[in-house]
Amino acid sequence: MSNFGEFDSDFYQSNYPIDNQEQSLNDSNAYGNLYGSGKLQAREQPQPDFVPLEMLTSSGYEGQFFQPAFNPDSYSQSPYIDSFDEEPPLLEVGINFDHIWQKTLTVLNPLKPADGSIMNEMDLTGPILFCVALGATLLLAGKVQFGYVYGMSAIGCLGIHALLNLMSSSGVSCGCVASVLGYCLLPMVILSSCSVFFSLQDPFGIVSALVIIGWCSLSASKIFISALDMEGQQFLIAYPCALFYGLFALLTVF
């Protein structure tokens, strides 16, 4: 045990005095404070945005200095700037609000004659709006039928497009057919709006649905015969249109 005690005392003994430890600790703290203050001053000192040319020349550099040149005349004479100035506004690119309003009034009044030059345009702004409105009103009535609305619209447009191309000598584009059928969907939107407030599964609702189907089909057939010069064939065109809008009436009533 005496040997272990001597070993323990020898183990804890050291020639390094405590004063030296305190002095080294103070030196390290002073160095840390000096370094921290220098770092803080470097942060507070604002950095120059650019180096002036005089400082570079005074440093003894004898090479070449390249600086970007800006010529306002070349910027103003750029062909891209002129092309941007000649472009029409966004509201005038493919969207004519006057024609949209005239088509809407033509659909709302089946007895009003249609303008064939306006109706023979591939305008899909109104049809997309009315399709979304029909799906939204059906959703308010508790019927999630967006897929049926879009699917039946696409299939019906393709079918009536094929039929009109067989009946007409001039032919018609699929976009024009979709535009006319979409605009004539507006009375069906009115019927679906009524289904939000009261049920249509009664005699009054059935009669209202039949009236709306006739309204839509007569408006669509009137526009088609005006745009395609198919006088005397309105009822032949109104029949497939009535079948097309009858599907939407079934979604609305039931």
Side-chain angles (χ1 to χ4, degrees):
M1 294 296 292
S2 61
N3 294 333
F4 180 76
E6 293 178 358
F7 175 76
D8 191 11
S9 61
D10 293 338
F11 179 76
Y12 287 103
Q13 289 180 358
S14 175
N15 294 327
Y16 189 75
I18 300 178
D19 297 337
N20 293 337
Q21 294 180 0
E22 294 178 353
Q23 183 179 1
S24 62
L25 180 61
N26 294 330
D27 294 340
S28 63
N29 292 333
Y31 177 75
N33 294 331
L34 180 60
Y35 176 75
S37 61
K39 188 175 182 180
L40 181 60
Q41 292 178 0
R43 288 181 179 178
E44 294 177 353
Q45 184 177 2
Q47 298 294 332
D49 296 335
F50 63 93
V51 179
L53 186 60
E54 291 79 5
M55 295 180 62
L56 294 176
T57 54
S58 61
S59 61
Y61 179 73
E62 297 179 356
Q64 296 180 356
F65 297 95
F66 296 95
Q67 295 183 354
F70 176 75
N71 189 2
D73 296 334
S74 61
Y75 178 78
S76 61
Q77 296 176 359
S78 176
Y80 299 101
I81 303 300
D82 296 337
S83 61
F84 290 154
D85 293 337
E86 296 175 357
E87 289 186 355
L90 289 176
L91 294 178
E92 297 181 3
V93 180
I95 300 177
N96 193 329
F97 292 100
D98 186 27
H99 288 184
I100 293 174
W101 178 246
Q102 291 183 14
K103 291 178 182 179
T104 304
L105 293 179
T106 304
V107 172
L108 292 177
N109 187 7
L111 301 179
K112 179 182 177 181
D115 189 358
S117 61
I118 295 179
M119 297 303 171
N120 201 8
E121 294 179 355
M122 193 177 62
D123 175 25
L124 297 179
T125 305
I128 293 175
L129 179 62
F130 294 152
C131 285
V132 173
L134 178 61
T137 51
L138 290 176
L139 182 62
L140 292 176
K143 305 173 184 178
V144 185
Q145 307 288 357
F146 283 98
Y148 287 102
V149 171
Y150 297 147
M152 290 190 305
S153 299
I155 296 174
C157 289
L158 293 177
I160 295 181
H161 171 256
L163 180 63
L164 290 176
N165 283 329
L166 293 175
M167 297 175 62
S168 174
S169 59
S170 58
V172 63
S173 63
C174 187
C176 179
V177 174
S179 177
V180 173
L181 293 178
Y183 273 104
C184 295
L185 198 63
L186 179 58
M188 196 63 62
V189 176
I190 299 175
L191 181 65
S192 62
S193 300
C194 295
S195 66
V196 177
F197 302 101
F198 51 86
S199 177
L200 297 177
Q201 297 182 8
D202 52 10
F204 175 76
I206 300 299
V207 172
S208 300
L210 293 176
V211 171
I212 293 297
I213 292 173
W215 186 358
C216 295
S217 59
L218 287 177
S219 298
S221 60
K222 175 189 64 176
I223 295 173
F224 280 132
I225 65 172
S226 175
L228 302 177
D229 295 331
M230 299 173 61
E231 297 295 336
Q233 303 182 24
Q234 182 175 1
F235 291 101
L236 293 177
I237 301 175
Y239 176 71
C241 292
L243 296 178
F244 172 72
Y245 292 111
L247 297 176
F248 293 99
L250 290 176
L251 287 179
T252 304
V253 174
F254 301 103

